[in-house]
Amino acid sequence: MKRLVCLVMTILSLPVMVRAADQAQAPRYEITMDVDIFNKGGPGCIDVELPYMEPSQYQRAELIRKPQSSYAVAAGDRINLSLNYEVIFEKTSTSELPAVDPPGLVTSPDITKAVNMIIPHDRISPREKALRLLNFVNGWMTYDDSERKTPNARDALATRRGVCEDYALLYAALCRAAGLPARVVYGLRKNNKAEIVPLHAWVEIDIGAGWQAVETVGNNTLSLAANATYIFWSRTRPEIKIKWQGNNGFAPQFDIDTTWQVYR
């Protein structure tokens, strides 16, 4: 008897490599996501669903290469997949997909209590509210990637530690509790002087002039970091999903490594 199992791997916890050529300021990037899947379990068939770029009004993305999705695997087999995009930084007229909140974007009485302490009254502007909340997050949190856990706004507030997604989730939850529209964004951040960066999360807020992007780690301005390039990927949490079908006598076991390359 065969069984069907669906596995989900969130790629925020995987290593990311970003490389860029030193050419003149051309707002065009070639992005490759390489996925290596090693089957540690028994034989079967797998369907692999990769996270594709979502439409954006601030960049144009063209899918250049798309891998096949279905594979027959034996024990010990290794599968290599590549997803290739060309991204141009220009405004578009495309319709963006509705934002889907990540599981960790939650509010709680503790979140509301924190907002009431940070913003004791409503007689300040939305911009000042957003700035006070951002300064709180950066003063409260310590960046710590020593533990692999599912990021969560409540846990970030309680433990005061986490990675970029924890910062973004906490800031978005605080903004919403203060009455400010906010949503989490996922993508690539290429630091101007660094070649290896993690897949990144930041926040978009609306304080009266439309959505604006805000870096939530080590930043005290309502903007993205000036010394980095941000490439939007999605507003849904990027995940690699594997559906496995095989015999009952075997359990699905996969090691998944993901590497990103960005060429300008």
Side-chain angles (χ1 to χ4, degrees):
M1 180 177 179
K2 292 188 175 181
R3 57 174 176 158
L4 181 66
V5 179
C6 182
L7 303 177
V8 177
M9 173 66 72
T10 301
I11 60 177
L12 285 172
S13 61
L14 298 176
V16 176
M17 178 178 294
V18 176
R19 297 185 294 176
D22 294 329
Q23 296 182 358
Q25 299 176 356
R28 184 185 300 263
Y29 292 83
E30 182 178 337
I31 302 171
T32 300
M33 180 176 71
D34 294 314
V35 181
D36 181 86
I37 301 174
F38 178 64
N39 180 26
K40 299 169 61 178
C45 296
I46 64 172
D47 289 326
V48 182
E49 181 181 334
L50 298 179
Y52 291 93
M53 270 189 171
E54 294 180 359
S56 169
Q57 295 181 356
Y58 301 100
Q59 67 182 38
R60 188 182 305 279
E62 179 182 351
L63 181 60
I64 300 174
R65 185 172 67 248
K66 176 182 177 181
Q68 70 181 71
S69 58
S70 299
Y71 302 87
V73 293
D77 277 358
R78 188 180 296 275
I79 299 172
N80 300 109
L81 303 87
S82 289
L83 190 63
N84 186 246
Y85 279 97
E86 183 181 61
V87 174
I88 304 171
F89 283 179
E90 62 182 15
K91 288 190 175 183
T92 71
S93 59
T94 185
S95 297
E96 297 180 347
L97 298 180
V100 178
D101 286 346
L105 183 48
V106 293
T107 56
S108 69
D110 288 339
I111 295 285
T112 303
K113 182 179 179 180
V115 169
N116 291 335
M117 293 177 62
I118 303 164
I119 306 172
H121 55 77
D122 291 330
R123 295 188 300 276
I124 59 175
S125 67
R127 178 179 180 82
E128 181 62 26
K129 287 182 181 180
L131 190 57
R132 288 191 185 186
L133 295 173
L134 180 63
N135 288 335
F136 168 80
V137 169
N138 279 277
W140 184 258
M141 296 286 290
T142 298
Y143 193 91
D144 183 1
D145 60 358
S146 62
E147 293 186 26
R148 288 195 174 185
K149 59 181 181 61
T150 302
N152 182 285
R154 281 195 308 259
D155 292 344
L157 181 65
T159 65
R160 304 184 64 172
R161 313 187 77 82
V163 295
C164 62
E165 191 177 7
D166 294 283
Y167 280 69
L169 290 168
L170 177 57
Y171 183 60
L174 291 169
C175 285
R176 288 186 177 185
L180 303 176
R183 59 191 184 185
V184 177
V185 177
Y186 298 91
L188 298 174
R189 169 176 166 162
K190 187 187 80 66
N191 296 326
N192 292 345
K193 295 183 179 180
E195 293 187 345
I196 300 177
V197 298
L199 189 61
H200 198 54
W202 60 94
V203 172
E204 291 178 338
I205 60 173
D206 186 348
I207 54 176
W211 293 108
Q212 65 184 75
V214 177
E215 170 62 68
T216 54
V217 180
N219 182 36
N220 60 3
T221 62
L222 297 178
S223 63
L224 296 175
N227 62 343
T229 298
Y230 292 78
I231 300 173
F232 168 82
W233 197 269
S234 65
R235 291 187 181 85
T236 56
R237 200 164 189 256
E239 295 174 333
I240 297 172
K241 300 179 181 179
I242 298 179
K243 292 183 179 179
W244 178 86
Q245 188 172 2
N247 296 323
N248 275 333
F250 298 96
Q253 298 181 56
F254 300 101
D255 282 342
I256 304 177
D257 291 318
T258 304
T259 302
W260 303 75
Q261 300 180 55
V262 177
Y263 296 98
R264 179 177 177 181

